[in-house]
Amino acid sequence: MARKKAIAKQDNQISEGRRDWTILMSRAYCRIVDIFNERVNAWVARWPLEEIKPAEVKYSDLFGKIPLSELLRYDIPRSDLAVVGKDGNIDIPTVKEFKKAFDRLCDNAIVIGSVDDEENWERINIIGSVSYNKEKDAVEVRQHERIVDYLLGLKDKYTAFNPWIAMKFQKSQYTFGFYEWCCQWRRKGTFSLTVKDIKHRFELDEHRDSHGTLHKEQYKEVRGFIKRVIEPAREELQELFDSGDCDICFEYQKVEDKTKPGRPTVTGFNFTVIKKENKLLPPPQPQPMQESLFTDARSRLDWMIQTLMYYWSNSYDKEWPKRAIKELAWKVTADAKLLDKVELFIKDTIHDAQKGKVQNVPGAIHEYFKKKLDIVVDKKTTTKGGAR
């Protein structure tokens, strides 16, 4: 009984829901979760520690004291879903791709129970509504109040994932799903899934969609299933893990049914979660950033570079963001809280620009780095040996 209870605790209706998501849809969802987490953390920060201990916070207790509207409505600019390619260029989705990703997310819902019986039943859309504003080049997302409980459940230690890491996935639409599973079972270190489980999750089984269209089962041959679904996800996580851009990946073994005559049938897989702390690494070489300290922070610093490069795309000094964030990384090693402050300033500046309150985003950020952070890396002031 105790074992079953522990396993049940790791379930989450969002994480375990069926999904046929594109890479861009996953990135959009991760951005929503990231903003949601920021808002919740801001809630908790308002309360004196002597009144509420962070480890004992019951977020539902705050609902009547802080307006839920702060959690349920926010703008997401198209640039937020940009990624940096191997060539170093910023890849920003087209308006059509951007709108389509959120449109398809609107069709996704948490479904508890079934319409086919007389038991309790509930359906909650992951996104309540979304609208695209051409002038802002952003979508406004509005959530339903009932989704809050499930998004808060993602903050549980068993199912929590890092949105900053997940925003890096670019190669396989299945990587995010396997990443969630690895995070979900991080503490236990192992998990098992049948072929049926995985196909159900990614809607690769025979099923009818919400419009009644019948879809046939895909990858009936296990060899093709491994090649097209499992291996691409494993390889992408492994690549990011090896480069220090992800703190988790996995290995797997086939589970075979040998009870029937002939060649054994693959019925599922046993997965082993690989974490940074249990991988033997050679002694680290001196780096401009401390790897152990920046497992999470490096992803956030990368986001800053990507975002600033977008706003500096027409500047005479297009490389300024890279030099500035490199200097910031050095300062963060001595003051980890500095990263939160800079990140908040950048996001607030972009948000104010969308509302017309800031006319020159690069100018405002450049001034902040110069006066508040004492970071001056302009072309004319950077000499050989001067920049780290």
Side-chain angles (χ1 to χ4, degrees):
M1 290 297 292
R3 183 175 179 81
K4 290 182 179 179
K5 185 176 181 180
I7 293 176
K9 185 178 180 182
Q10 298 182 72
D11 292 338
N12 183 280
Q13 293 293 338
I14 296 181
S15 295
E16 295 302 305
R18 286 167 64 81
R19 63 179 63 163
D20 177 21
W21 288 6
T22 63
I23 296 173
L24 193 59
M25 287 172 68
S26 295
R27 191 174 294 134
Y29 167 71
C30 289
R31 186 68 187 111
I32 290 172
V33 173
D34 179 48
I35 295 175
F36 179 86
N37 288 342
E38 288 180 354
R39 300 286 173 85
V40 171
N41 291 337
W43 274 14
V44 178
R46 299 180 190 183
W47 292 86
L49 292 181
E50 59 269 18
E51 292 185 21
I52 298 180
K53 296 179 181 179
E56 299 175 358
V57 168
K58 293 182 179 179
Y59 298 105
S60 59
D61 293 344
L62 305 179
F63 289 176
K65 303 173 183 177
I66 303 176
L68 266 180
S69 58
E70 294 186 20
L71 284 181
L72 302 177
R73 180 175 176 175
Y74 27 80
D75 292 338
I76 300 180
R78 185 159 57 99
S79 59
D80 275 13
L81 303 191
V83 294
V84 178
K86 287 188 175 181
D87 56 3
N89 294 326
I90 298 177
D91 179 17
I92 301 177
T94 64
V95 173
K96 182 178 179 180
E97 293 170 335
F98 184 60
K99 292 163 67 176
K100 190 172 182 179
F102 283 95
D103 180 56
R104 286 189 59 188
L105 276 178
C106 281
D107 290 335
N108 279 254
I110 297 170
V111 179
I112 303 170
S114 170
V115 296
D116 298 325
D117 56 40
E118 297 181 0
E119 300 299 320
N120 293 335
W121 171 74
E122 184 176 19
R123 177 187 175 93
I124 310 168
N125 281 39
I126 290 178
I127 297 180
S129 68
V130 63
S131 58
Y132 174 73
N133 186 305
K134 183 178 179 179
E135 293 182 0
K136 295 181 179 179
D137 196 11
V139 295
E140 180 187 84
V141 174
R142 296 189 181 187
Q143 304 287 66
H144 189 279
E145 288 189 10
R146 286 287 293 119
I147 199 69
V148 171
D149 291 337
Y150 296 100
L151 288 174
L152 288 172
L154 291 175
K155 293 175 70 65
D156 181 87
K157 61 184 178 181
Y158 287 102
T159 57
F161 68 89
N162 187 326
W164 294 96
I165 290 177
M167 290 282 284
K168 292 180 176 291
F169 304 152
Q170 303 179 46
K171 296 182 178 180
S172 169
Q173 70 184 90
Y174 306 115
T175 303
F176 178 54
F178 280 97
Y179 172 66
E180 282 189 300
W181 276 322
C182 287
C183 291
Q184 184 175 350
W185 296 98
R186 179 193 297 267
R187 286 179 175 266
K188 184 179 179 183
T190 60
F191 61 97
S192 300
L193 296 170
T194 65
V195 173
K196 185 177 180 180
D197 289 335
I198 301 174
K199 286 189 175 182
H200 177 80
R201 166 67 174 273
F202 296 128
E203 297 190 1
L204 298 173
D205 54 354
E206 181 177 304
H207 66 282
R208 291 188 182 275
D209 60 26
S210 58
H211 303 290
T213 303
L214 178 64
H215 297 265
K216 294 182 178 180
E217 180 183 1
Q218 299 184 50
Y219 308 120
K220 292 186 178 181
E221 293 290 331
V222 173
R223 181 183 302 178
F225 177 72
I226 294 174
K227 181 180 179 181
R228 301 296 182 185
V229 178
I230 299 180
E231 268 302 305
R234 187 200 65 78
E235 289 175 0
E236 182 167 20
L237 283 175
Q238 184 71 55
E239 182 180 332
L240 292 169
F241 183 85
D242 290 341
S243 66
D245 292 320
C246 183
D247 63 343
I248 203 166
C249 61
F250 69 89
E251 296 175 350
Y252 66 94
Q253 291 182 329
K254 300 175 185 176
V255 175
E256 298 177 333
D257 181 1
K258 300 180 180 180
T259 60
K260 298 179 181 180
R263 179 181 296 180
T265 302
V266 177
T267 58
F269 303 88
N270 291 327
F271 296 89
T272 300
V273 180
I274 308 300
K275 299 172 284 188
K276 277 295 181 186
E277 57 266 29
N278 60 16
K279 182 184 179 186
L280 296 178
L281 298 173
Q285 298 298 316
Q287 298 290 333
M289 293 168 58
Q290 299 175 18
E291 295 289 338
S292 60
L293 179 62
F294 283 98
T295 298
D296 171 65
R298 285 182 63 186
S299 297
R300 297 164 66 184
L301 291 163
D302 286 345
W303 172 84
M304 291 185 190
I305 292 177
Q306 294 172 25
T307 302
L308 297 187
M309 290 287 283
Y310 170 74
Y311 286 97
W312 260 259
S313 59
N314 295 322
S315 170
Y316 79 98
D317 185 8
K318 294 182 175 61
E319 297 298 307
W320 184 90
K322 293 182 180 179
R323 297 196 303 272
I325 299 304
K326 185 177 180 180
E327 290 297 312
L328 175 63
W330 279 96
K331 291 179 178 289
V332 169
T333 59
D335 181 8
K337 293 182 178 180
L338 186 62
L339 183 60
D340 294 330
K341 297 177 182 178
V342 178
E343 185 178 71
L344 181 61
F345 176 82
I346 292 175
K347 291 179 178 179
D348 283 347
T349 301
I350 294 173
H351 184 69
D352 287 344
Q354 293 165 357
K355 292 187 175 182
K357 296 180 180 179
V358 174
Q359 302 301 321
N360 185 355
V361 172
I365 294 175
H366 182 279
E367 192 73 3
Y368 176 81
F369 271 67
K370 179 180 178 181
K371 292 188 176 181
K372 298 294 185 180
L373 306 177
D374 194 26
I375 293 179
V376 181
V377 290
D378 299 336
K379 270 187 175 180
K380 61 182 180 180
T381 60
T382 303
T383 59
K384 186 176 181 180
R388 289 175 229 188

